[in-house]
Amino acid sequence: MSAAAGGRGSSRRLVVEADGGSRGNPGPAGYGALVRDALTGEVLAEVAESIGHATNNVAEYRGLIAGLAAAAGIDTSARVEVRMDSKLVVEQMSGRWKIKHPDMVPLALEARELAAGLGSVSYGWIPRNRNAHADRLANEAMDAAARGEHWTRKVEETPGEPEPPPRPVSSTPMTTLLLRHGETPLSIEKRFAGIGDTRLTANGAAQARAAALALKDRGLDAIVTSPLARCRDTAAEVAAVTGLDVRAEDGFRETDFGDWEGLTFAEAGKGWPAELKAWLADPDVAPPGGESFTQVSRRVRTALDKLKVRYREQTVLVVSHVTPIKLLVKDALGAPMSALYRMHLDVAALSSIDWYADGPATLRTYNDTHHLPS
C-alpha cells in the first residue's frame, strides 16, 4: 500500500470502499462506493449510480471518484484509505502501473485531483468477498442500467435525516479510569506476564471486588477491558456492581513478551543477556519472539482513539495491564518512552486521566491503592 497524496494532517481517518462493473463489458454499467470511519467502522456515506453503457474499468474508476468525493464531503483534511478489488485501479492510482487506455486517463486525473484535496490517500487491494458492501451497491446500479433507468443513491451520515451541524470543540473531557487487573500467580513471583491467559488468585479476585466497590459510585458510563482473562475477570466484578456491559479491546492487552513469558527478570537475563540489555535500552527492541514497547504504543494509541470516538465526554473504565496503562500515562504527560522504566504500578491500582478534544490531557491520579484491603 502506498501514499498517493500528502499534505495536511488530520486526526480523522476514513476508509473508502468502491466497486463498479458492467453486464457484458462493455454493457449496462454502474458503480457503488461508501465511506467508513476507520476507527469505529460506522458507514458515514453511500453513493451509487447507473452510468449507461460502459466497461468494467470505467465503472470502477467512476466508483473510486465517487468515493473520494464523498470522503471530501465529510472531511477534506482526513487521511483516507481506499480499498478496492480492482487490481488495475489500485496499481494505476498507486503509480506502479502505467495508464495506457485513453478512456482511463481523464478518469485517473479526476481521481488524482480529488485525492490531492484530501489530507492523504493510500490504496490497497482487497478480495471481492471483503468488498461486499460496495459490490452490492454496484450491482443495484447495474440492475437499473440494464432496465434502461438512470438511478442514483446518495446517503450521507444518517439515512433520511439532514446532516447534523458540526459539534464544537468541547471543554468537557473524556475521563479514563485505568484499573490494573488483580493479583495473579505470576505477579506474586514478579514474572513476565504477557499474552498468556493467567487467572486471578483468590487474593486477586478479592482485590477486584474491592476495586469494584470503589468504582460503584464514580459515574462510569462504560467498561472496556483487555481480552485477557485476568482483566476480564477483574472487569466482571465492576460490571456486577454497576450493571454496565463490558467491551473487550485488543489494543489494551499486555505486551507479548515472547520467549520470556513466565520467566523472572533474572532468568531472562541468564538466558538472553545481550537481548535483555538491548531491550532495556531501546523501546524499538522486542523480546525474542515478542513485541517492542514501540509496537505496543501504536496499538494502545489506536485503542485510545476508538475510546475518544465512542465515549466523547464520558467516563470510561479501562481494565488493562502494566505496559498499556504506563503508555497512556506517558502520552498524557508528553513524556519520553524512557519514562516507562521510572513508573511503578501495583496490581489492582487505579489511575485517572482526562482527555480533552483540543489535544491536551491531564493526569489526575496514579497508582491509587487506598481501596485495597491492607
Side-chain angles (χ1 to χ4, degrees), residues 9 14 21 72 103 122 138 157 202 231 234 238 253 265 280 293 360:
L14 301 175
D103 290 347
S122 63
E157 300 296 337
C231 286
T234 302
V238 185
R253 63 176 167 79
F265 199 83
L280 289 171
F293 285 151

Side-chain angles (χ1 to χ4, degrees), residues 258-289:
D259 294 343
W260 299 345
E261 179 78 18
L263 301 182
T264 64
F265 199 83
E267 288 168 345
K270 184 177 180 180
W272 294 267
E275 290 84 352
L276 184 65
K277 183 178 180 180
W279 177 71
L280 289 171
D282 187 350
D284 288 331
V285 173

